[in-house]
């Protein structure tokens, strides 16, 4: 029975990597949409709030359409713990920072900046077994992958299409911290997925907690007059700017399922490999110029993903001789 579970788990590694990469592509697209929504008049904070509300509404609709409202309510009533909702707060900083930073440096560079934080945090969380069935020890292979990913951050910041290097460095540092915090949400959602065997439920609880948190922040800023002059885009041709919420729901569901088979660190790199490739494409579509160093940063993140996921998984799961 154990051998069967091991074989099944190994077989699911590649699909998990592909779904993690798809989630990363959605992250890049969501960041661009939220950034454009912010610059179109909504501002970074309000665009983050709209993204969270959209995610929550989308997840609720999915549960209702699937006819799972009753069982979901029962699970939340009898099994849910406060931290199921609290982990949603870990996603607020990156949503806000992407809305602020992407219009300045582009999706690709903003994505690489968040990679380093997620990578370092993912190593620590995996070593402690947070969000996964068993702890993953820090090996030389995983450490090298982390160093390559962090080096990608340095390359990306240096290639930013901005003459204000100080501003870019501050944004890069803030997105680094936001990425590290985001790894906590991924690990927490992975733990909820392990407990409930439901990839949608973590999306519901984390988006609900995040929505409450960002709503309180919006209320405080509004009371202080910080939202003066903010206006929501209303032109018919700008409807797509509000798709960040549904994309957020898809990202959370895909990540919650994939982390069971990859761990936080490998999930992070898988997501960011997809995010990097999609980010370059999004930047090209949006007319944001990219330099050769940006492509190098993307290649470094992709190489780190291959290094840590495929070879390490095969080695770690190989049965002992005899």
């Amino acid at each position: 029975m154990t051998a069967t579970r091991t074989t099944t788990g190994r077989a699911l590694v590649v699909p998990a990597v592909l779904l993690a990469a798809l989630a990363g592509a959605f992250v890049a697209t969501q960041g661009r949409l939220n950034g454009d929504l912010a610059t179109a008049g909504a501002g970074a904070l309000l665009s983050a709030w709209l993204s969270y509300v959209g995610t929550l509404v989308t997840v609720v609709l999915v549960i209702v359409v699937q006819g799972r409202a009753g069982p979901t309510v029962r699970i939340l009533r009898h099994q849910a713990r406060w931290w199921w909702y609290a982990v949603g707060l870990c996603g607020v900083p990156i949503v806000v920072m992407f809305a602020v930073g992407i219009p300045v440096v582009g999706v690709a560079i903003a994505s690489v900046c968040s990679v380093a934080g997620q990578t370092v945090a993912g190593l620590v969380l995996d070593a402690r077994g947070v969000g996964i069935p068993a702890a993953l020890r820090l090996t030389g292979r995983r450490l090298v992958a982390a160093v390559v990913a962090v080096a990608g951050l340095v390359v990306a910041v240096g290639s930013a299409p901005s003459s204000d290097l100080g501003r870019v460095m501050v944004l890069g540092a803030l997105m680094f911290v936001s990425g590290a915090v985001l790894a906590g949400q991924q690990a927490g959602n992975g733990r909820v997925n392990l407990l409930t065997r439901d990839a949608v439920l973590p999306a519901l609880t984390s988006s609900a907690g995040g929505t409450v948190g960002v709503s309180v922040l919006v209320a405080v800023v509004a009371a202080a007059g910080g939202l003066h002059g903010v206006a929501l885009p209303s032109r018919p041709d700008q409807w797509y700017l509000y798709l960040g919420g549904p994309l957020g729901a898809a990202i959370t569901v895909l990540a919650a399922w994939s982390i069971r088979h990859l761990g936080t660190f490998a999930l992070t790199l898988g997501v960011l490999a997809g995010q990097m490739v999609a980010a370059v494409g999004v930047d090209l579509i949006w007319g944001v110029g990219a330099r050769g160093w940006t492509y190098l940063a993307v290649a470094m993140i992709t190489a780190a993903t291959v290094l840590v996921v495929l070879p390490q998984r095969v080695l770690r799961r190989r049965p002992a001789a005899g």
Side-chain angles (χ1 to χ4, degrees):
M1 187 69 175
T2 301
T4 301
R5 285 198 299 266
T6 301
T7 302
T8 302
R10 186 185 302 130
L12 290 175
V13 168
V14 173
V17 171
L18 294 176
L19 290 178
L22 179 60
F26 288 163
V27 169
T29 306
Q30 182 196 43
R32 179 76 260 180
L33 292 175
N34 287 345
D36 286 354
L37 181 61
T39 57
L45 186 56
L46 191 57
S47 66
W49 179 80
L50 289 169
S51 182
Y52 263 97
V53 171
T55 298
L56 179 58
V57 170
T58 301
V59 174
V60 170
L61 288 176
V62 168
I63 292 174
V64 171
V65 169
Q66 291 180 336
R68 299 170 47 209
T72 298
V73 170
R74 284 193 291 274
I75 291 175
L76 294 178
R77 181 178 298 173
H78 299 293
Q79 294 181 240
R81 299 293 181 267
W82 64 269
W83 61 266
W84 290 23
Y85 302 94
V87 295
L89 299 175
C90 296
V92 175
I94 196 64
V95 174
V96 174
M97 285 311 307
F98 269 12
V100 173
I102 284 176
V104 178
V105 300
V107 181
I109 293 176
S111 298
V112 174
C113 289
S114 70
V115 161
Q118 293 180 64
T119 299
V120 174
L123 282 175
V124 175
L125 292 170
D126 277 357
R128 298 182 64 85
V130 179
I132 54 179
L136 299 175
R137 65 187 182 86
L138 180 59
T139 63
R141 187 185 302 271
R142 292 166 70 82
L143 185 59
V144 169
V147 171
V148 172
V150 173
L153 165 68
V154 178
V155 172
V157 170
S159 67
S162 174
S163 59
D164 190 349
L165 182 59
R167 184 185 184 191
V168 171
M169 292 179 64
V170 170
L171 289 173
L174 291 175
M175 284 186 281
F176 172 91
V177 174
S178 299
V181 175
L182 178 62
Q185 175 177 302
Q186 294 170 340
N189 285 342
R191 181 61 180 170
V192 176
N193 180 251
L194 283 173
L195 294 173
T196 63
R197 297 187 179 276
D198 185 341
V200 178
L201 192 60
L204 175 64
T205 53
S206 64
S207 61
T211 299
V212 171
V214 76
S215 295
V216 171
L217 184 58
V218 168
V220 171
V221 173
L227 297 182
H228 179 71
V230 170
L232 296 180
S234 58
R235 293 206 324 257
D237 62 336
Q238 294 179 311
W239 61 269
Y240 64 92
L241 296 178
Y242 296 94
L243 294 179
L247 286 176
I251 292 164
T252 307
V253 171
L254 292 173
W257 184 85
S258 297
I259 196 172
R260 291 182 59 188
H261 309 285
L262 298 177
T264 306
F265 180 56
L267 169 72
T268 296
L269 293 180
V271 167
L272 290 165
Q275 185 177 344
M276 291 294 91
V277 174
V280 171
V282 170
D283 278 351
L284 291 176
I285 292 173
W286 258 258
V288 178
R291 302 179 182 180
W293 291 109
T294 302
Y295 295 119
L296 175 60
V298 172
M300 292 171 72
I301 296 300
T302 304
T305 304
V306 174
L307 180 65
V308 73
V309 177
L310 299 182
Q312 181 65 17
R313 281 283 159 177
V314 172
L315 292 173
R316 191 175 66 83
R317 293 178 181 269
R318 181 180 297 165

